[in-house]
Amino acid sequence: MTPITYHFSWDPEKAEANRRKHDVNFEAAATVLADPLAAWVAETVGVAGPFLATPLSGGNSNDTTMLTAGTQRWIIRRPPVTSTSSTANDRAREGRVLTALADRLVPTPRALGYTADRALTTVPCLLLEHRP
């Protein structure tokens, strides 16, 4: 996977103050920024990020989030936290249906990727192109 890079301004005094206050050095603290799902998205869409995640409201059956990097946008869909039906929230099936409709006259977003890899995410995710 393509790693996501972060740029920091090093301030040795601030680093030492944080180490004293939290008992964690900078190198250890920086590892929390390694987001495996963001790395998967970056590799899938070919954009290194960083990504801004904005939850979208209005839907009832799935969590839908817009991902933005610069002027580019994508949608990531996942089952809701309180999902009661594994078949009603089947992201793999949704991806197959959208892929089948991609070359038809039906205006649908293109499915870009699907993952159920537990090393990346706790629930299956479907990555879609953004269609305004």
Side-chain angles (χ1 to χ4, degrees):
M1 285 190 186
T2 304
I4 294 177
T5 57
Y6 297 90
H7 303 282
F8 298 96
S9 297
W10 180 253
D11 181 340
E13 291 176 11
K14 178 72 171 166
E16 179 57 27
N18 283 332
R19 188 197 58 74
R20 282 192 313 271
K21 182 177 180 181
H22 303 290
D23 195 31
V24 175
N25 66 25
F26 177 80
E27 291 78 13
T31 63
V32 303
L33 299 174
D35 179 348
L37 184 60
W40 174 79
V41 169
E43 182 175 303
T44 302
V45 299
V47 174
F51 298 100
L52 173 66
T54 307
L56 300 178
S57 62
N60 294 322
S61 53
N62 292 287
D63 290 338
T64 304
T65 302
M66 182 183 312
L67 301 176
T68 306
T71 60
Q72 296 179 285
R73 295 179 176 174
W74 304 270
I75 301 296
I76 195 158
R77 290 175 44 87
R78 49 180 278 150
V81 175
T82 58
S83 180
T84 57
S85 170
S86 61
T87 58
N89 303 111
D90 186 345
R91 297 289 60 80
R93 182 182 61 209
E94 180 180 2
R96 289 190 303 273
V97 169
L98 290 173
T99 298
L101 292 173
D103 296 327
R104 307 286 189 256
L105 296 176
V106 180
T108 58
R110 196 165 43 99
L112 304 173
Y114 166 82
T115 185
D117 185 343
R118 293 283 187 175
L120 302 177
T121 178
T122 57
V123 295
C125 293
L126 178 63
L127 182 64
L128 306 167
E129 71 176 344
H130 175 257
R131 294 196 54 135

